[in-house]
């Protein structure tokens, strides 16, 4: 089994951290969607990461689908998300907010480095969406008096939020004010102190646009 993608992607990183927390062995192939597109194409014609190639050669694409497979593999007793019901929907909502924030943060990177003239309307819209999600997540994390968002055990939502926050703070420091988002900053610090987060990390290296 091998995971394709660089760890500066919050989506690749969250899958790798989940694999480590689940104790599932994997190889890492840090291929770039820009520099290594020809290597990625046989496994994922979208040329996107993460892509997880299983032992039998099946390639799973999209971090949510990959984690769904891993949850099924480890079983409901170990899965980092409830199997069904209202609690699962709460987890999925937080995951959707976190990954959506990550999508917008990545979009702003591409807008900045790949376009000669940025679209002011698009930049402002993405920034507003990021700020809106941060405000909601900050309120929800501040209201949770447990070690993690949904209790005292780490879940996929916690991992996604921490990975996306690291990416956003590195890529767009002007959009994350620690004094404004104190609960989220503390959440990120708690997660980043865990061994898998320390092991699986890479400084942001955005495409140059050349």
């Amino acid at each position: 089994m091998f995971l394709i993608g660089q760890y500066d992607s919050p989506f690749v990183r969250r899958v790798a951290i989940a694999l480590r927390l689940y104790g599932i062995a994997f190889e890492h192939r840090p291929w770039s969607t820009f520099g290594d597109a020809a290597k990625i194409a046989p496994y994922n014609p979208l040329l996107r990461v993460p892509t997880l190639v299983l032992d039998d050669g099946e390639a799973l694409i999209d971090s949510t689908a990959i984690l769904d497979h891993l949850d099924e593999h480890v079983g409901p007793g170990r899965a980092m998300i409830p199997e069904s019901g209202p609690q699962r929907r709460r987890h999925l909502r937080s995951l959707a907010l976190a990954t959506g924030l990550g999508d917008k943060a990545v979009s702003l990177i591409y807008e900045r480095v790949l376009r000669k003239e940025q679209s002011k309307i698009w930049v402002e819209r993405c920034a507003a969406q990021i700020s809106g999600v941060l405000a909601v997540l900050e309120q929800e994390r501040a209201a949770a008096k447990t070690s993690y968002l949904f209790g005292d055990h780490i879940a996929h939502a916690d991992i996604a939020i921490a990975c996306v926050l690291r990416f956003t703070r590195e890529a767009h420091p002007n959009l994350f004010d620690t004094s404004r988002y104190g609960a989220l900053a503390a959440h990120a610090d708690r997660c980043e102190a865990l061994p898998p987060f320390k092991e699986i990390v890479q400084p942001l290296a955005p495409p140059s646009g050349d």
Side-chain angles (χ1 to χ4, degrees):
M1 179 187 300
F2 58 89
L3 177 64
I4 298 172
Q6 299 190 1
Y7 289 155
D8 61 350
S9 160
F11 305 103
V12 176
R13 190 177 182 225
R14 82 180 187 111
V15 169
I17 289 171
L19 281 163
R20 188 69 78 239
L21 289 170
Y22 279 151
I24 300 174
F26 69 98
E27 297 177 13
H28 180 217
R29 301 195 181 175
W31 297 341
S32 163
T33 54
F34 285 85
D36 302 300
K39 295 179 181 178
I40 298 173
Y43 303 103
N44 187 342
L46 287 172
L47 306 179
R48 296 184 65 180
V49 294
T51 297
L52 182 68
V53 182
L54 304 181
D55 292 338
D56 63 1
E58 180 183 2
L60 305 180
I61 61 176
D62 184 80
S63 61
T64 298
I66 292 170
L67 292 174
D68 184 67
H69 166 76
L70 297 180
D71 295 337
E72 182 179 347
H73 176 76
V74 301
R78 293 185 59 211
M80 291 184 285
I81 189 170
E83 188 175 18
S84 62
Q87 280 291 91
R88 180 177 177 85
R89 292 194 294 274
R90 288 183 63 211
H91 280 246
L92 290 174
R93 177 182 179 277
S94 294
L95 278 167
L97 288 172
T99 56
L101 191 161
D103 282 335
K104 295 304 174 181
V106 171
S107 293
L108 281 182
I109 283 280
Y110 288 161
E111 184 73 14
R112 185 169 71 223
V113 302
L114 298 181
R115 288 174 60 100
K116 292 182 179 180
E117 295 185 12
Q118 296 183 37
S119 167
K120 184 173 182 291
I121 293 176
W122 177 247
V123 169
E124 290 178 348
R125 178 175 174 80
C126 287
Q129 289 171 299
I130 289 172
S131 296
V133 172
L134 286 173
V136 170
L137 291 177
E138 169 68 16
Q139 183 180 26
E140 294 182 355
R141 188 62 187 95
K145 304 306 179 183
T146 48
S147 298
Y148 297 101
L149 186 58
F150 295 108
D152 291 321
H153 299 284
I154 196 167
H156 288 313
D158 300 300
I159 299 169
I161 290 170
C163 291
V164 165
L165 286 180
R166 185 183 187 98
F167 179 88
T168 303
R169 293 168 81 171
E170 290 188 1
H172 314 290
N174 59 309
L175 295 180
F176 191 92
D177 183 348
T178 301
S179 64
R180 183 178 180 184
Y181 305 116
L184 286 177
H187 174 89
D189 289 346
R190 176 186 293 274
C191 291
E192 295 290 353
L194 298 174
F197 285 80
K198 289 183 176 181
E199 174 195 356
I200 298 169
V201 66
Q202 176 185 332
L204 177 63
S208 65
D210 296 333

